[in-house]
């Protein structure tokens, strides 16, 4: 039988509960995320796990603005039109606060343009094209990942030291590969004016005819090769080139070849001595990386890939922006992103006000093979801020608006 005393006790208990659990008192803050999960699963499966770890940590710590966060994801099939439709649906139906994600550069550019039209914040996680923060930049788009220009600039010192004159180039024929190739040719020519580019092979993404490509490069008799191939295309190129002796006496630089997503599947076929950017996850001893590594392995019983770091850091960037803005108002969020400082597994980064590019760095070194596996046998970490053009050059490239 209910008494006045029991009713008062129940009311007191409910009041106390509301005081200790403010993070769950409101609907979660939804963040809309778009990516090419089916097309680029090797990178994006770990990326999704990285996001999940970040969401768990943020919510366990009380959320943000007194609310949980929730990432609502959509697959864009690697298609710009599908990505824009997904972005529209996330904003109109799911009522997300803003947008994050994307992988291919052409898809990232499409979503960036959509964000500009809708005046909605977009944190581009992975698209590497330089256009997204320079030539086709807009006030609402910010980019986390180290760009094609930045990663190429990190490889240039090693290329210059070798002083190879005859270079061949191979790349996937879409925005990322085109952007990487343009940056490499420009930066190397500036440092080594006598360089010659004797062959160039643009291959359809995911459909490389490795035998024909290798033969064309071999016919040009290069001293060195610059590649921006990745994934299955890279694996096919490595195998065909090794079988036909393309790499004997030839120095090879591959832009993403040290990332576990693309290196691990090669196993003992990993090409010894190649110069790459990558992620030597098991050799990094910094406190911030150890904290991330321990948490990731405890949750997933697996080692992180570079995608894991990108997914985690993207969510942490979004949360930091909301905290700094103190609001979900788009203009306040955009203002908060300019100069935003974020702690990541690679150390602190800043989103530069001048071009909305983060200063996330990466690891540069050479590949080796040990115990039947490829690994980065030598490496150094390069801070992203040290691989960017001058402010004057950025101002010339980035639209005034």
């Amino acid at each position: 039988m209910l008494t006045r005393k029991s009713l008062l006790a129940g009311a007191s208990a409910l009041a106390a509960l509301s005081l200790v659990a403010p993070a769950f008192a409101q609907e979660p803050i939804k963040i809309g995320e778009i990516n090419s999960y089916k097309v680029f699963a090797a990178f994006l499966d770990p990326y999704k796990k990285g996001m999940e770890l970040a969401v768990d940590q943020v919510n366990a710590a009380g959320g943000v603005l007194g609310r949980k966060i929730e990432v609502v994801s959509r697959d864009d099939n690697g298609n710009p039109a599908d990505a824009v439709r997904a972005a529209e649906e996330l904003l109109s139906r799911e009522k997300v606060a803003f947008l994050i994600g994307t992988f291919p550069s052409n898809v990232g550019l499409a979503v960036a343009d959509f964000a500009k039209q809708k005046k909605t914040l977009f944190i581009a996680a992975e698209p590497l094209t330089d256009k997204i923060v320079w030539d086709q930049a807009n006030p609402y788009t910010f980019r986390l990942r180290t760009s094609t220009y930045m990663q190429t600039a990190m490889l240039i010192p090693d290329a210059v030291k070798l002083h190879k004159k005859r270079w061949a180039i191979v790349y996937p024929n879409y925005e990322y590969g085109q952007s990487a190739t343009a940056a490499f040719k420009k930066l190397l020519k500036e440092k080594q004016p006598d360089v010659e580019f004797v062959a160039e092979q643009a291959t359809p993404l995911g459909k490389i005819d490795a035998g024909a490509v290798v033969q064309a490069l071999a016919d040009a008799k290069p001293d060195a090769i610059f590649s921006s191939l990745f994934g299955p295309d890279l694996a096919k190129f490595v195998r065909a080139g090794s079988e036909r002796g393309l790499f004997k006496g030839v120095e090879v630089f591959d832009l993403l070849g040290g990332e576990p997503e693309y290196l691990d599947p090669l196993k003992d076929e990993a090409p010894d001595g190649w110069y790459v950017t990558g992620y030597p996850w098991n050799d990094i001893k910094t406190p911030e990386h150890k904290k991330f590594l321990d948490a990731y392995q405890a949750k997933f019983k697996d080692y992180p890939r570079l995608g894991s770091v990108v997914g985690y850091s993207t969510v942490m960037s979004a949360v930091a922006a909301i905290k700094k803005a103190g609001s979900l108002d788009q203009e306040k969020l955009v203002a908060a992103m300019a100069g935003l400082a974020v702690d990541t597994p690679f150390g602190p980064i800043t989103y530069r006000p001048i071009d909305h590019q983060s200063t996330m760095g990466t690891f540069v070194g050479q590949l080796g093979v040990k115990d039947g596996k490829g690994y980065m046998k030598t490496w150094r970490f390069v801070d992203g801020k040290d691989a960017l053009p001058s402010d004057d050059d950025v101002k010339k490239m980035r639209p005034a608006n």
Side-chain angles (χ1 to χ4, degrees):
M1 179 178 177
L2 288 175
T3 65
R4 181 174 182 274
K5 185 176 180 181
S6 63
L7 286 170
L8 287 173
S12 297
L14 286 172
L17 183 62
S18 68
L19 289 174
V20 299
F24 311 115
Q26 301 180 59
E27 288 294 312
I29 295 172
K30 291 184 177 182
I31 300 169
E33 194 271 339
I34 304 162
N35 241 308
S36 311
Y37 289 101
K38 291 192 287 286
V39 180
F40 299 105
F43 191 96
L44 292 172
D45 284 350
Y47 163 92
K48 199 163 192 175
K49 290 178 179 176
M51 287 199 303
E52 185 181 332
L53 177 61
V55 169
D56 285 355
Q57 290 182 353
V58 169
N59 288 339
V64 60
L65 304 185
R67 298 163 66 181
K68 282 186 174 183
I69 61 165
E70 177 186 341
V71 174
V72 183
S73 293
R74 295 290 183 270
D75 196 314
D76 59 36
N77 303 304
N79 183 286
D82 288 354
V84 170
R85 281 192 289 271
E88 179 65 62
E89 187 261 339
L90 285 167
L91 289 178
S92 61
R93 184 179 300 176
E94 294 290 344
K95 307 297 182 187
V96 300
F98 54 90
L99 302 170
I100 62 174
T102 72
F103 182 99
S105 289
N106 54 340
V107 171
L109 288 170
V111 175
D113 185 65
F114 173 83
K116 175 184 176 182
Q117 304 306 321
K118 295 293 183 178
K119 297 184 177 180
T120 297
L121 173 64
F122 171 44
I123 304 175
E126 173 65 19
L128 302 184
T129 176
D130 300 312
K131 290 180 180 177
I132 207 164
V133 292
W134 296 338
D135 308 54
Q136 296 180 25
N138 69 70
Y140 294 90
T141 298
F142 295 76
R143 196 249 306 282
L144 168 72
R145 182 74 196 279
T146 316
S147 70
T148 50
Y149 178 99
M150 295 164 73
Q151 292 190 68
T152 301
M154 294 172 183
L155 287 171
I156 287 294
D158 288 321
V160 172
K161 283 179 188 175
L162 296 173
H163 201 79
K164 299 297 181 180
K165 187 171 183 180
R166 295 171 57 82
W167 282 83
I169 297 179
V170 57
Y171 61 94
N173 194 18
Y174 76 112
E175 176 56 35
Y176 150 75
Q178 295 160 6
S179 182
T181 297
F184 182 78
K185 291 166 79 172
K186 175 180 181 294
L187 292 171
L188 186 59
K189 196 79 174 175
E190 287 174 357
K191 297 289 186 180
Q192 188 182 328
D194 67 341
V195 70
E196 296 177 19
F197 297 105
V198 297
E200 193 167 305
Q201 287 288 303
T203 71
L205 179 63
K207 299 177 181 178
I208 187 173
D209 183 348
V213 168
V214 164
Q215 189 60 55
L217 296 182
D219 289 345
K221 295 181 171 53
D223 303 319
I225 296 169
F226 174 73
S227 159
S228 51
L229 299 173
F230 64 96
D233 287 341
L234 175 61
K236 292 174 184 177
F237 177 66
V238 168
R239 286 163 188 151
S242 298
E243 289 170 1
R244 300 181 185 214
L246 173 64
F247 310 130
K248 288 181 180 176
V250 175
E251 302 287 358
V252 182
F253 289 66
D254 187 84
L255 200 60
L256 308 179
E259 296 180 10
E261 290 87 335
Y262 315 128
L263 177 60
D264 292 355
L266 288 170
K267 299 181 180 177
D268 61 356
E269 293 180 293
D272 186 66
W274 279 26
Y275 293 84
V276 297
T277 67
Y279 174 39
W281 64 270
N282 53 338
D283 285 337
I284 304 167
K285 307 303 182 185
T286 61
E288 53 267 50
H289 186 265
K290 185 177 187 307
K291 182 180 177 182
F292 167 76
L293 176 62
D294 290 348
Y296 191 92
Q297 289 185 313
K299 182 174 178 61
F300 299 110
K301 307 298 185 288
D302 193 9
Y303 61 93
R305 279 69 164 177
L306 187 58
S308 313
V309 176
V310 173
Y312 183 89
S313 302
T314 302
V315 170
M316 289 306 190
S317 296
V319 170
I322 297 169
K323 284 182 179 177
K324 184 179 174 183
S327 165
L328 298 180
D329 176 81
Q330 294 300 322
E331 299 305 324
K332 290 180 180 178
L333 286 167
V334 167
M337 283 294 302
L340 182 71
V342 183
D343 291 327
T344 78
F346 290 175
I349 64 170
T350 302
Y351 285 86
R352 305 186 339 153
I354 192 170
D355 59 4
H356 298 185
Q357 171 64 48
S358 101
T359 58
M360 177 176 269
T362 197
F363 300 84
V364 181
Q366 287 182 274
L367 297 181
V369 178
K370 181 172 63 176
D371 300 327
K373 298 177 182 177
Y375 76 113
M376 290 181 71
K377 63 181 180 182
T378 65
W379 56 266
R380 65 188 186 277
F381 181 75
V382 182
D383 194 315
K385 67 180 175 57
D386 298 326
L388 282 157
S390 70
D391 287 0
D392 287 342
D393 284 342
V394 169
K395 288 173 184 175
K396 292 173 187 174
M397 293 184 286
R398 187 175 170 94
N401 66 340

